[in-house]
Amino acid sequence: MNHNIPGMSSNFSKAVNPQQFDQIVEAILAGKYSWACVLMLRIVGYNPLHYIPYRTYNRLLKDNTQASRAQQQHQDMKAAKPSMNSRSNTNSSASCLSKIKDFAYLEVVGKQKN
């Protein structure tokens, strides 16, 4: 069942850029569903503290900022040592989407027919 909410699809497509979408997809693929929800709320412009407890939000921030720092350091080390396994930034969005096996069943919201 599809609900048509006026202006919903146009606002969402303007608010999320590919890098932000990739962050959400990576969080989901890593099993960090709560963090993915926080990212979605932030990106769309809502305050996550209106929807989740303060302590939970702080724990998620702490866990994921440490993880992102470690990941950034790991990427920096890879960039310093060029190898055959390094990927370019242009392929990063395609690589995230290729990890989702059942992506074909989804429809693009802006192109749905009534």
Side-chain angles (χ1 to χ4, degrees), residues 7-78:
M8 182 64 169
S9 62
S10 62
N11 288 342
F12 188 74
S13 64
K14 291 179 186 176
V16 179
N17 66 39
Q19 292 83 14
Q20 292 170 328
F21 181 73
D22 289 343
Q23 285 180 336
I24 294 170
V25 170
E26 288 173 6
I28 292 170
L29 292 175
K32 298 179 177 184
Y33 306 111
S34 299
W35 181 242
C37 290
V38 167
L39 289 173
M40 282 190 276
L41 287 169
R42 280 176 158 182
I43 290 168
V44 177
Y46 292 101
N47 184 356
L49 289 172
H50 291 163
Y51 302 95
I52 61 175
Y54 178 78
R55 290 177 65 190
T56 303
Y57 180 70
N58 280 342
R59 179 183 50 80
L60 288 168
L61 280 178
K62 180 181 175 185
D63 292 347
N64 290 292
T65 54
Q66 289 175 351
S68 65
R69 284 182 193 154
Q71 184 180 19
Q72 183 64 32
Q73 289 175 351
H74 186 271
Q75 289 175 353
D76 290 344
M77 289 176 63
K78 274 184 143 179

